[in-house]
Amino acid sequence: MTTIEHEDFVQSIADALQYISYYHPVDYIKNLAAAYEREQSPAARDAIAQILINSRMCAEGHRPICQDTGIVTVFLEVGMDVRWNTQGSVEDMVNEGVRRAYLHPDNKLRASVLADPAGKRSNTRDNTPAVVNLKLVPGDKVDVIVAAKGGGSEAKSKFAMLNPSDSIVDWVLKTVPTMGAGWCPPGMLGIGIGGTAEKAMLLAKEALMEPIDITDLIARGPSTRAEELRLELYEKVNALGIGAQGLGGLTTVLDVKVKDYPTHAANLPVAMIPNCAATRHAHFILDGSGPVALDPPSLEDWPTLTYDASKGRRVHLDTITAEEVASFKPGEVLLLNGKLLTGRDAAHKRMVEMLDKGEALPVDLRGKFIYYVGPVDPVRDEVVGPAGPTTATRMDKFTEQVLAQTGLLGMIGKAERGPVAIEAIKKHRSVYLMAVGGAAYLVSKAIKAARVVGFADLGMEAIYEFTVQDMPVTVAVDCTGESVHQTGPRKWQSRIGKIPVVVE
């Protein structure tokens, strides 16, 4: 009988969470690098380059790939001959490992988990509790998969109870475009089919833990219906032309994973969960011999790329005018310099409540730009930790009132804006700029100073003032309301339909 010591299990969980915060899985990097080489869309190619450069920087600097360091999910297969030397539960030990990892002084990770989700939504401050899925299986070992899932991609999870005669392919192809780009493609899609509603969702999440092997599957050919479905969806989802960051391009998914389970004759449950460009998961086995230390990957697996910050138009935020904003062209690359305010969900909610009461805001937004971000705390000599954008559509419902009542000139975030926000941008001749999701550490290097200027009690959701130097962004919605997230995928879907599909 194997004995698993409390400390060995806890430390292994903590070490794995630190590891996945800054090391992409090598299979993802190799497949993303291949997608970069074959990409023909300049905007998508630039976005993939930023993700790859950011990934290498994180691997070298041991800092998070994304500012959203995720909610932790752990899959455990516990051998029935295993004995635990601990006073608490398995979930208690997992949460102790999470706490230890997220509060690590050399690489503190962002605490994003809120208790009382339908009420006060109070930050637990240490990213606990995790979501633990446990199976008892034959054997004397503990098989562990640790993952950290970002909120932007998790928010795009979909489920449908289809009729048995319905087409799963049709449902996926109809649903993926409705997800927008907030899940930060290129990534993976996990598809769970069968069982019951909750089983299908679990299958989809489990599928995302598998290595990217679509190239091998193409080479050997499918041997099951699930593999046939993978190949069909891989080709057809990429043919949608959504592309990296939703800008339009050849690669939207690097792989599609399918897991199924027997289901009731009257049902066809189907779940789809995307994994973003910051895909983070690791697998290890405890056998009673001590904690597990994962071997670091070789940096030779990363392509050597550099970001050319000279190709964009330099914009000086401290002196910018409405006339200059009106000159921005859709798809144009800008390099931002000067003072930039931040604010995301909680800050916007509080600002709107204050505006409704006629109260003065803690900051003057007139003539300013606001960046939708919740940064990681700094360590050592950093002024701020990784600080990539959050999904902009969550701020859509606030946009009209904030633009109308504050004189805000522009916004910066991740992915597309919805019709309500685009209409407000057009009405007030504002602008929306897009930063690349999955390039948080790269973005943070453009931030030269940071201080909290409002709502300090909100933690990472407080309002900061950043001083930025050559921060790269793309004009995603111009002052006329033209959106590159609408024009780009349309253009590339049309182009892909006219060129031979090359699958390597």
Side-chain angles (χ1 to χ4, degrees):
M1 179 174 284
T2 298
T3 298
I4 304 296
E5 300 291 337
H6 172 101
E7 179 61 21
D8 292 348
F9 182 80
V10 169
Q11 192 59 48
S12 298
I13 294 286
D15 288 348
L17 287 169
Q18 278 284 311
Y19 182 99
I20 65 175
S21 76
Y22 44 74
Y23 288 137
H24 262 122
V26 171
D27 60 295
Y28 178 83
I29 290 301
K30 288 183 175 179
N31 281 272
L32 186 63
Y36 171 78
E37 292 298 331
R38 63 177 176 262
E39 185 56 69
Q40 297 175 26
S41 162
R45 187 174 168 85
D46 179 77
I48 294 173
Q50 288 193 48
I51 294 168
L52 287 168
I53 293 166
N54 178 78
S55 178
R56 187 183 181 99
M57 288 171 62
C58 294
E60 292 172 336
H62 286 194
R63 290 295 274 144
I65 295 163
C66 180
Q67 79 289 338
D68 182 351
T69 50
I71 183 169
V72 175
T73 301
V74 178
F75 296 92
L76 296 172
E77 291 190 357
V78 179
M80 288 186 285
D81 293 330
V82 166
R83 177 182 176 277
W84 296 92
N85 187 14
T86 182
Q87 298 302 310
S89 69
V90 172
E91 288 194 352
D92 290 338
M93 289 189 289
V94 169
N95 288 328
E96 187 178 338
V98 172
R99 191 175 297 113
R100 191 176 294 183
Y102 277 72
L103 299 179
H104 195 294
D106 292 333
N107 183 39
K108 190 174 180 182
L109 307 180
R110 198 184 81 180
S112 303
V113 172
L114 308 181
D116 191 14
K120 292 182 179 179
R121 294 180 66 82
S122 303
N123 198 303
T124 63
R125 302 291 181 179
D126 58 11
N127 223 53
T128 63
V131 177
V132 180
N133 300 282
L134 187 148
K135 293 179 184 175
L136 285 176
V137 298
D140 60 356
K141 295 179 176 57
V142 179
D143 190 290
V144 185
I145 295 176
V146 174
K149 189 71 158 57
S153 61
E154 189 70 3
K156 303 302 181 180
S157 302
K158 302 295 180 183
F159 172 80
M161 189 63 81
L162 301 182
N163 291 318
S165 59
D166 290 342
S167 165
I168 293 171
V169 172
D170 287 351
W171 177 77
V172 170
L173 296 180
K174 178 181 72 176
T175 304
V176 168
T178 71
M179 290 159 50
W183 60 282
C184 279
M188 294 166 62
L189 292 179
I191 311 288
I193 305 168
T196 52
E198 78 280 7
K199 181 64 174 180
M201 293 298 285
L202 186 58
L203 289 169
K205 182 66 68 70
E206 288 176 335
L208 292 174
M209 304 299 109
E210 297 176 357
I212 297 173
D213 64 351
I214 197 72
T215 303
D216 294 339
L217 178 57
I218 292 167
R220 66 173 169 81
S223 57
T224 64
R225 174 57 189 145
E227 290 183 342
E228 290 174 0
L229 194 55
R230 284 181 62 193
L231 291 176
E232 183 177 3
L233 288 172
Y234 174 74
E235 180 180 328
K236 290 182 176 179
V237 169
N238 281 326
L240 293 171
I242 294 167
Q245 302 291 299
L247 295 168
L250 299 180
T251 301
T252 303
V253 290
L254 297 175
D255 204 342
V256 177
K257 297 294 187 180
V258 175
K259 293 192 77 169
D260 60 20
Y261 193 85
T263 193
H264 191 283
N267 300 148
L268 181 56
V270 183
M272 177 166 61
I273 303 179
N275 228 5
C276 64
T279 178
R280 290 163 295 204
H281 55 89
H283 177 211
F284 60 90
I285 295 174
L286 288 162
D287 59 7
S289 62
V292 173
L294 297 168
D295 293 329
S298 169
L299 286 177
E300 292 180 1
D301 292 318
W302 272 254
T304 304
L305 300 172
T306 55
Y307 191 75
D308 183 2
S310 66
K311 63 184 178 182
R313 187 208 300 201
R314 281 195 169 81
V315 172
H316 298 281
L317 297 172
D318 300 335
T319 57
I320 194 168
T321 64
E323 291 73 25
E324 187 176 359
V325 167
S327 73
F328 295 166
K329 303 299 181 188
E332 183 179 9
V333 175
L334 307 178
L335 301 171
L336 303 183
N337 292 270
K339 299 289 193 298
L340 177 66
L341 296 171
T342 78
R344 42 177 286 158
D345 309 62
H348 274 75
K349 183 175 184 290
R350 192 175 290 184
M351 285 193 293
V352 165
E353 289 170 349
M354 294 176 72
L355 291 172
D356 287 342
K357 295 175 185 175
E359 297 174 355
L361 299 181
V363 290
D364 184 2
L365 300 181
R366 185 168 302 279
K368 304 291 186 183
F369 276 64
I370 196 164
Y371 181 28
Y372 303 148
V373 62
V376 177
D377 288 345
V379 296
R380 297 181 290 277
D381 59 348
E382 294 177 342
V383 299
V384 70
T390 197
T391 307
T393 49
R394 298 203 309 274
M395 268 53 73
D396 281 6
K397 64 182 179 181
F398 305 115
T399 301
E400 165 60 30
Q401 186 173 0
V402 171
L403 290 177
Q405 292 187 237
T406 69
L408 184 73
L409 263 184
M411 299 147 285
I412 305 159
K414 180 181 80 176
E416 74 284 348
R417 301 308 297 263
V420 171
I422 290 175
E423 186 57 36
I425 290 166
K426 181 179 178 181
K427 175 182 174 182
H428 296 283
R429 296 194 58 81
S430 178
V431 70
Y432 168 62
L433 312 174
M434 188 208 82
V436 172
Y441 196 37
L442 176 64
V443 170
S444 74
K445 295 305 180 184
I447 302 169
K448 304 304 178 183
R451 64 189 183 102
V452 175
V453 293
F455 308 150
D457 62 299
L458 295 180
M460 63 92 176
E461 295 205 71
I463 298 176
Y464 288 77
E465 180 189 77
F466 287 167
T467 302
V468 298
Q469 181 180 326
D470 287 347
M471 175 179 165
V473 293
T474 299
V475 179
V477 181
D478 74 353
C479 69
T480 71
E482 182 176 334
S483 168
V484 298
H485 287 98
Q486 295 173 357
T487 58
R490 270 201 307 265
K491 170 186 171 183
W492 281 93
Q493 184 173 8
S494 174
R495 285 192 63 175
I496 291 168
K498 296 171 184 172
I499 60 177
V501 177
V502 178
V503 230
E504 298 173 357

